[in-house]
Amino acid sequence: MKDYTYNRTWEDIHALLDEAERTKNQHKTATFNERLSTKQRAQHMRDYKGLQGVVYALRWVLGDPNTSRKKVITGEE
């Protein structure tokens, strides 16, 4: 078993979720910026998808009824 500290507060988890959602949305917006190269836009999309998984996981931990275990594991909406 891992040595987890379990020292995160609900406020810490909510703050991380808020930050992850804001950053995810910034990356999504950047994917539509035509001034960026295709490579840069692709990186923003990868970052967006990664943070989407983070958001799903945090929402699941917080008990969001719209976030299922399947959504966390597969990313399916």
Side-chain angles (χ1 to χ4, degrees):
M1 181 161 176
K2 305 277 186 202
D3 291 330
Y4 297 117
T5 61
Y6 298 101
N7 65 353
R8 304 290 190 260
T9 65
W10 290 113
E11 291 79 21
D12 292 336
I13 296 169
H14 280 281
L16 184 58
L17 173 59
D18 183 58
E19 183 179 353
E21 287 180 325
R22 280 187 281 110
T23 305
K24 178 188 77 152
N25 292 333
Q26 290 170 353
H27 284 297
K28 184 174 184 177
T29 300
T31 64
F32 297 106
N33 185 343
E34 294 179 2
R35 293 180 305 210
L36 297 177
S37 70
T38 301
K39 185 176 182 178
Q40 289 171 315
R41 289 177 15 197
Q43 183 61 52
H44 282 291
M45 182 52 75
R46 285 190 293 275
D47 293 343
Y48 167 80
K49 292 302 288 182
L51 285 167
Q52 186 179 51
V54 169
V55 168
Y56 287 159
L58 290 171
R59 286 184 169 280
W60 182 82
V61 165
L62 291 168
D64 182 342
N66 297 316
T67 304
S68 66
R69 179 184 173 99
K70 180 180 179 182
K71 187 183 278 189
V72 172
I73 301 299
T74 67
E76 293 177 12
E77 296 210 28

